[in-house]
Amino acid sequence: QLLLRESGPGLVKPSETLSLTCTISGDSITSKTYFWGWFRQPPGRGLQWIANTYVRGSTYYNPSLKSRVTVSVDTSKNQFSLRLTSLTAADTAVYYCARDNGGYGLDPWGQGTLVTVSS
Amino acid sequence: QSALTQPPSASGSPGQSVTISCTGTSGDVGTYNYVSWYQQHPGKAPRLMIFEVSKRPSGVPDRFSGSKSGNTAYLTVSGLQAEDEAHYYCSSYVDPNKLVFGGGTKVTVL
């Protein structure tokens, strides 16, 4: 069974950089032609796509976040990571990772991790 | 890229049907047959319910169905059950590799 799990700090200060990792178990991050994505959901609000990455190719970013976001992959650890710079309170959200099956939808999702930006 | 438009709420009594709309543009929903729907209960991660407009993943009850007309996609939940009370989000590709979500619809089972 494929499982994804997000990890990272729960609290970060304004202007600092957030680093999150998504660890994949039950399959290899390099198997088949999947994308792997990052998403977030501010408290009480809807979902927002951040970025998705293809292990053997390109990474695509939400234009509204592109200048602050970097996604990287570590195939040796079966992980992919998110780096978000210049944090503000507006970046407070639950951050999710998920497998992007292209037209077949986002499945499965990690359980999510709450990140609070506050001094 | 602008968010897809969903009604903030919808409701129905047990056993009834409820339909949620998801309106985009010719640049997303109208072009790509890659519309998905997600169910999210409070404090939980989203769950894929529909992909490619109308297909159900294994394990999703056939009470859930999807369709599309022009720039608008629809999710219908038939035979409403108490467990269907949740938020529902649609998503579509904007171009082949970029995604956009709807704002979400809270479905209440009366």
Side-chain angles (χ1 to χ4, degrees), chain B:
Chain B
Q1 55 198 67
S2 299
L4 307 176
T5 300
Q6 296 182 236
S9 62
S11 62
S13 299
Q16 291 186 333
S17 295
V18 64
T19 297
I20 304 166
S21 62
C22 170
T23 301
T25 69
S26 58
D28 41 60
V29 174
T31 294
Y32 299 96
N33 285 324
Y34 294 139
V35 176
S36 298
W37 289 91
Y38 301 88
Q39 177 191 65
Q40 188 179 37
H41 289 110
K44 301 294 186 182
R47 174 192 178 191
L48 178 65
M49 305 300 284
I50 296 286
F51 65 95
E52 286 190 345
V53 176
S54 60
K55 298 178 181 178
R56 282 186 310 276
S58 174
V60 172
D62 60 6
R63 304 183 290 103
F64 292 85
S65 61
S67 62
K68 190 182 87 166
S69 177
N71 297 336
T72 300
Y74 302 92
L75 173 71
T76 297
V77 186
S78 305
L80 270 173
Q81 299 183 5
E83 68 214 50
D84 300 331
E85 184 162 298
H87 278 89
Y88 291 84
Y89 295 91
C90 62
S91 75
S92 172
Y93 280 91
V94 177
D95 67 35
N97 296 297
K98 296 180 180 178
L99 284 163
V100 64
F101 286 95
T105 299
K106 173 67 185 299
V107 170
T108 300
V109 181
L110 301 171

Side-chain angles (χ1 to χ4, degrees), chain A residues 3-72:
Chain A
L3 295 175
L4 282 68
R5 186 182 78 251
E6 306 88 351
S7 58
L11 178 65
V12 288
K13 291 181 169 54
S15 81
E16 291 190 343
T17 295
L18 171 66
S19 293
L20 295 176
T21 297
C22 182
T23 300
I24 300 161
S25 59
D27 197 4
S28 170
I29 195 171
T30 60
S31 70
K32 300 183 182 179
T33 56
Y34 296 125
F35 277 81
W36 303 91
W38 284 102
F39 308 85
R40 69 181 185 179
Q41 185 172 35
R45 299 183 62 185
L47 297 164
Q48 182 183 34
W49 168 68
I50 300 173
N52 54 18
T53 188
Y54 177 51
V55 172
R56 296 188 176 89
S58 302
T59 299
Y60 301 90
Y61 298 101
N62 186 319
S64 68
L65 297 168
K66 186 174 182 178
S67 64
R68 299 194 292 130
V69 175
T70 304
V71 172
S72 59

